[in-house]
């Protein structure tokens, strides 16, 4: 009870002696209203599975660059028990970015002296990633096989020829389709997270667009 009381006092005062887990709750309450629901879900999963098990009980200001290095090495050595494959370089980079974002918040708003994750540097990379795509002939062959399923066929036609993301397609309503001018307006996107469904603004500001 005494320990719990101390942690609550540290959390309320914003002291950097509060545990990493307590600061994460403060970080989430201050950042989540500013970001999209889908982004929050991704952040929450990474925090719960990759950060809290390692750093959760540590005072925030006691986490060192050596701790970060050991954490990185643990993730780099991980192998999927079924496939034997490591985490992708892009995923490793995403995980590290989330840890660094939490420390940056502490530095910027709560006077933590420095960000140990930034001092160590990132792991992984987003270089060398290739985008899979269908050629026109491959798509036409696929589309022909889908013609017996009209709803699916027209969905794939819109996705392929108009370049929509899946969430953008699922968020379309009749008002978004202008048959007179032959355009589709993209103003929202659909998400399904944890069994709940959401319609939000598109992925980026530039995603708001009118497609011929």
């Amino acid at each position: 009870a005494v320990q719990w009381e101390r942690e609550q006092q540290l959390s309320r005062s914003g002291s950097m002696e509060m545990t990493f887990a307590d600061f994460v709750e403060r970080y989430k309450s201050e950042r989540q209203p500013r970001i999209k629901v889908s982004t929050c879900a991704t952040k929450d999963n990474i925090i719960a599975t990759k950060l809290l098990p390692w750093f959760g009980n540590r005072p925030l200001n006691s986490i060192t660059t050596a701790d970060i290095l050991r954490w990185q090495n643990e993730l780099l050595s991980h192998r999927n028990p079924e496939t034997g494959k490591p985490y992708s370089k892009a995923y490793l980079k995403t995980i590290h970015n989330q840890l660094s974002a939490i420390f940056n918040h502490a530095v910027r708003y709560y006077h933590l002296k420095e960000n140990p994750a930034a001092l160590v540097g990132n792991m992984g990379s987003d270089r060398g990633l290739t985008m899979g795509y269908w050629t026109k002939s491959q798509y036409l062959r696929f589309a022909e096989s889908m013609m017996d399923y009209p709803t699916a066929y027209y969905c794939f036609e819109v996705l392929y020829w108009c370049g929509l993301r899946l969430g953008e397609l699922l968020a379309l309503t009749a008002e978004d389709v202008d048959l007179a001018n032959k355009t589709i307006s993209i103003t929202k996107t659909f998400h399904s997270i944890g069994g709940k469904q959401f319609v939000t603004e598109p992925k980026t500001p530039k995603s708001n667009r009118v497609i011929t």
Side-chain angles (χ1 to χ4, degrees):
V2 172
Q3 176 65 20
W4 180 86
E5 181 184 29
R6 180 176 182 274
E7 290 174 355
Q8 293 302 307
Q9 291 172 342
L10 290 172
S11 179
R12 284 195 295 270
S13 68
S15 168
M16 291 296 90
E17 293 181 17
M18 76 172 80
T19 65
F20 181 85
D22 285 339
F23 185 77
V24 162
E25 291 306 309
R26 181 175 290 240
Y27 166 80
K28 288 164 65 174
S29 70
E30 293 172 349
R31 292 299 303 164
Q32 286 187 346
R34 301 168 180 266
I35 57 181
K36 295 178 62 175
V37 173
S38 57
T39 303
C40 286
T42 300
K43 284 176 171 287
D44 286 348
N45 179 262
I46 289 174
I47 289 170
T49 61
K50 303 299 186 297
L51 306 186
L52 290 181
W54 191 275
F55 301 111
N57 295 325
R58 296 283 303 276
L60 193 71
N61 62 3
S62 74
I63 298 172
T64 66
T65 52
D67 295 324
I68 305 296
L69 277 173
R70 285 191 290 270
W71 170 74
Q72 285 186 343
N73 289 336
E74 183 79 12
L75 291 172
L76 288 166
S77 64
H78 170 83
R79 295 296 181 271
N80 185 298
E82 296 181 0
T83 65
K85 293 183 178 180
Y87 291 130
S88 72
K89 291 182 178 180
Y91 185 54
L92 289 170
K93 182 175 181 179
T94 299
I95 295 171
H96 180 91
N97 285 346
Q98 180 55 69
L99 179 64
S100 190
I102 292 170
F103 280 114
N104 277 338
H105 193 77
V107 170
R108 185 174 296 119
Y109 300 109
Y110 292 93
H111 309 295
L112 183 68
K113 183 178 179 182
E114 57 190 8
N115 177 349
L119 292 175
V120 172
N122 215 320
M123 57 179 171
S125 171
D126 54 9
R127 294 182 179 179
L129 296 177
T130 57
M131 179 67 70
Y133 64 92
W134 282 347
T135 64
K136 181 179 178 180
S137 61
Q138 288 172 327
Y139 173 73
L140 292 176
R141 187 169 59 187
F142 165 79
E144 185 177 356
S145 71
M146 293 297 296
M147 286 182 179
D148 291 336
Y149 310 94
T151 300
Y153 170 73
Y154 289 119
C155 285
F156 281 113
E157 285 285 276
V158 172
L159 285 170
Y160 188 81
W161 297 110
C162 298
L164 271 67
R165 298 181 177 93
L166 182 58
E168 294 171 344
L169 173 78
L170 294 174
L172 287 178
T173 62
E175 291 73 21
D176 298 320
V177 181
D178 185 340
L179 294 177
N181 293 308
K182 300 180 180 179
T183 62
I184 295 176
S185 296
I186 306 302
T187 59
K188 51 195 176 297
T189 189
F190 171 88
H191 308 277
S192 180
I193 302 170
K196 297 181 179 180
Q197 299 177 343
F198 304 89
V199 174
T200 67
E201 295 178 351
K203 185 174 182 180
T204 66
K206 289 185 178 180
S207 297
N208 287 278
R209 61 200 189 278
V210 176
I211 299 171
T212 302

